[in-house]
Amino acid sequence: MASLYAQTNKTVRKATRYKNCASQAAAVQKNAGTEGCHVSSVNSGEASAVATGLNLKADKHTGQAEIGRAIPSRVGLKQKRNLKIEYECRSAEHSEKSDPKVPKWEPRNWKEHLNNIREMRKNKDAPVDHMGAEKCFDKDADPPVMRYQVLVSLMLSSQTKDQVTSAAMMKLRSHGLTVDSILKTDDKLLGELIYPVGFWKTKVKYIRQTTEILKWQYNGDIPNNVAELVKLPGVGAKMAHLAMDIAWNNITGIGVDTHVHRISNRLKWVKKETKSPEDTRIALESWLPKEYWSEINWLLVGFGQQICLPVGPRCTECLNREICPASKRLH
């Protein structure tokens, strides 16, 4: 009987030490900023908690919790058969819930600006509506040919009015605008076909180089992602995002040309003035909901061609004249 009594007391004392151990470990965790973790296992008089590189142990003889060396991952200790508590560190989850959300910046009156521009563009009578990249390719062509024509029209459109781009595309299509037909065309004739687009001599070289790459590396098609499109000679970010939208029906970003760049700065759709179209694209995408990304190029290009001109903007005809930050300065 005495032996049984002594064994019972010993078991009770050990259980008490385990309880104290876990309590002290939790207290140290709290002081160390790791409340998101709870004790994983208690065995042989040891309690261990690992969070953010912190190792907490309790001595099996004294029951005192102490901070050990930092360790990079969960520690598995030899488990006692009759006492097992598993844990999962939720510090990241806890942190996400406790951190207040920072309000996303957005321009003042931007929805009113957008609705007014839609109203001014409802007739679809700007040059881009009839001669833009979306209107220059053969919609009945095989998909790879259609996508190639979209890319070529975008390459020609750089620093060129839509009317000139459209005329060049008509000549190219009459000649035969496929990868194989362009590779068989010499530079002299190719130049005559695209003249007088801006920088036509340089574009002859770019079209030739890009077409060769498409033939041998993409089986006559165009890349289906922005990263590879921008590696092609003569293809920039604006062209790549528009090609993804028009040719692949995949919206990957906003196509920003000089019109979109200019108008975005005039309307203060950028938090601070941007110096390049690419800077403007990044600024717009940081706040503009993605559902508007596809139409914004078409809307602002036509608006810039008819109302918000580079020089002498027609502010008196603009529905945004009362809420446009640049209206008083420009007029």
Side-chain angles (χ1 to χ4, degrees):
M1 179 65 73
S3 175
L4 178 60
Y5 179 77
Q7 185 177 358
T8 301
N9 282 344
K10 183 177 180 181
T11 302
V12 170
R13 287 196 301 272
K14 289 179 71 175
T16 303
R17 283 201 301 271
Y18 300 157
K19 182 178 180 181
N20 292 340
C21 163
S23 299
Q24 292 181 30
V28 175
Q29 287 177 295
K30 185 173 182 179
N31 293 335
T34 58
E35 295 175 88
C37 300
H38 43 283
V39 175
S40 64
S41 62
V42 180
N43 52 77
S44 301
E46 293 189 350
S48 176
V50 181
T52 322
L54 181 66
N55 182 22
L56 304 177
K57 289 186 177 180
D59 187 88
K60 65 181 180 180
H61 299 297
T62 65
Q64 297 297 312
E66 58 182 33
I67 301 178
R69 62 182 179 84
I71 54 178
S73 61
R74 185 179 303 178
V75 175
L77 299 175
K78 184 178 179 181
Q79 295 174 341
K80 191 176 180 69
R81 184 178 302 175
N82 64 344
L83 188 56
K84 177 183 177 182
I85 307 173
E86 293 185 354
Y87 83 102
E88 180 180 3
C89 179
R90 299 186 180 91
S91 57
E93 178 185 342
H94 177 76
S95 176
E96 288 177 4
K97 291 182 179 180
S98 60
D99 290 341
K101 287 187 177 180
V102 179
K104 184 171 68 172
W105 178 88
E106 61 181 33
R108 184 180 180 184
N109 298 323
W110 74 270
K111 289 184 178 178
E112 290 83 354
H113 292 154
L114 184 61
N115 289 332
N116 286 335
I117 293 172
R118 283 174 175 159
E119 178 65 22
M120 289 182 280
R121 293 278 289 112
K122 67 181 181 181
N123 293 330
K124 299 182 179 179
D125 52 2
V128 69
D129 298 313
H130 306 288
M131 294 169 281
E134 289 183 272
K135 305 296 181 181
C136 291
F137 62 90
D138 183 1
K139 295 182 179 177
D140 296 324
D142 290 338
V145 174
M146 178 273 290
R147 289 190 284 266
Y148 174 67
Q149 292 183 359
V150 169
L151 183 61
V152 171
S153 70
L154 289 168
M155 294 174 72
L156 294 176
S157 69
S158 176
Q159 302 294 313
T160 305
K161 291 185 177 181
D162 286 333
Q163 298 91 323
V164 177
T165 300
S166 179
M169 283 294 295
M170 290 298 293
K171 289 190 287 183
L172 284 170
R173 286 174 57 184
S174 297
H175 169 75
L177 186 50
T178 66
V179 167
D180 290 334
S181 65
I182 293 301
L183 288 179
K184 295 175 183 177
T185 305
D186 61 44
D187 289 355
K188 183 177 182 297
L189 178 55
L190 185 56
E192 293 172 356
L193 291 170
I194 69 172
Y195 181 85
V197 299
F199 305 100
W200 64 273
K201 291 182 180 180
T202 301
K203 289 177 181 177
V204 166
K205 179 180 67 174
Y206 285 157
I207 290 172
R208 165 96 41 217
Q209 292 173 345
T210 290
T211 304
E212 289 176 349
I213 293 171
L214 299 181
K215 171 69 174 179
W216 303 114
Q217 296 186 24
Y218 296 95
N219 197 29
D221 209 337
I222 71 172
N224 62 358
N225 61 81
V226 171
E228 293 181 51
L229 280 167
V230 296
K231 291 179 181 178
L232 298 172
V235 178
K238 179 202 79 171
M239 300 178 204
H241 288 299
L242 289 175
M244 289 299 299
D245 188 2
I246 300 169
W248 290 107
N249 194 30
N250 182 9
I251 302 170
T252 56
I254 300 172
V256 178
D257 67 351
T258 55
H259 294 292
V260 180
H261 172 61
R262 178 180 71 256
I263 295 167
S264 295
N265 276 275
R266 285 180 177 177
L267 291 174
K268 300 297 183 185
W269 279 13
V270 290
K271 197 169 185 179
K272 60 181 181 179
E273 184 179 359
T274 52
K275 301 299 183 182
S276 70
E278 180 62 8
D279 289 340
T280 300
R281 179 189 68 81
I282 295 170
L284 288 174
E285 291 177 5
S286 70
W287 67 266
L288 186 67
K290 195 171 184 178
E291 62 194 87
Y292 302 108
W293 288 12
S294 181
E295 69 170 332
I296 206 68
N297 177 272
W298 167 78
L299 278 174
L300 296 190
V301 169
F303 179 56
Q305 291 174 336
Q306 294 181 306
I307 303 293
C308 198
L309 305 174
V311 180
R314 299 167 181 166
C315 295
T316 56
E317 303 175 29
C318 182
L319 298 180
N320 283 322
R321 60 185 175 272
E322 298 299 329
I323 55 174
C324 174
S327 180
K328 293 181 180 179
R329 174 172 56 85
L330 295 171
H331 215 73

